[in-house]
Amino acid sequence: MSRKLSRMILALVLSSAVLSGVDYDGEKSIMMEAPYNVCIIPPQVDEAAAEGITVVDAATAKKLYDNNALFFDAREKRHYAQEHIKGAYPVYFDISKAAYIVLQLPSDKKQDLVFYCYGESCANSYEAALAVRKLGYTHVYWFLNGFNEWKATGYPVN
């Protein structure tokens, strides 16, 4: 019974993952990449408010966009490269420093800054917004439902 269950689980994982193999002098290495779904511990809206981060929906994010807010994409690099909110800058996670790195921060600490990622279950944008907030930026927004809602609404993407 457990063997059958193990096979079913393996089949499920393999059907939704991308496999790639690398050959190192006769030794094969296989990497499995599963699709992104959710964070282990999603951030909470009340935590963001307590940290001075304003949580916004798509309509409010679009108003900020129209008023020249800067947008920052905290999704994986490959997803940013494929498509992102038009004009958004990438945010990278520096593994060596265990920190989010925002590369295009303005000198004006009162500039509206909007952070987004995959959706409300994704902590990347919240963590990046929190890092920027700790640098003294005062108008920091967390676009809770992120890129998928933005795109579904028909707002501009690259």
Side-chain angles (χ1 to χ4, degrees), residues 11 14 21 32 34 44 46 64-65 68 71 85-86 99 112 116 119 123 134 138 140 154 158:
L14 293 177
M32 181 177 74
Q44 301 297 312
D46 56 341
L64 287 162
Y65 181 87
N68 298 317
F71 276 65
I85 292 175
K86 187 173 183 176
D112 291 333
Y116 70 92
K134 288 179 179 178
T138 56
V140 179
N158 276 352

Side-chain angles (χ1 to χ4, degrees), residues 25-68:
D25 295 325
E27 290 187 27
K28 299 224 186 257
S29 174
I30 296 176
M31 180 177 77
M32 181 177 74
E33 183 178 322
Y36 177 85
N37 288 323
V38 296
C39 290
I40 295 170
I41 303 173
Q44 301 297 312
V45 172
D46 56 341
E47 290 175 23
E51 295 291 344
I53 298 167
T54 305
V55 179
V56 297
D57 60 8
T60 304
K62 180 64 164 82
K63 287 177 188 171
L64 287 162
Y65 181 87
D66 291 340
N67 287 322
N68 298 317

Side-chain angles (χ1 to χ4, degrees), residues 100-132:
Y100 284 92
I101 308 297
V102 181
L103 303 174
Q104 300 289 332
L105 287 175
S107 57
D108 179 4
K109 298 220 176 195
K110 292 183 180 180
Q111 170 72 43
D112 291 333
L113 308 176
V114 180
F115 292 83
Y116 70 92
C117 56
Y118 299 98
E120 71 179 287
S121 65
C122 179
N124 296 353
S125 55
Y126 170 73
E127 294 293 335
L130 183 59
V132 168

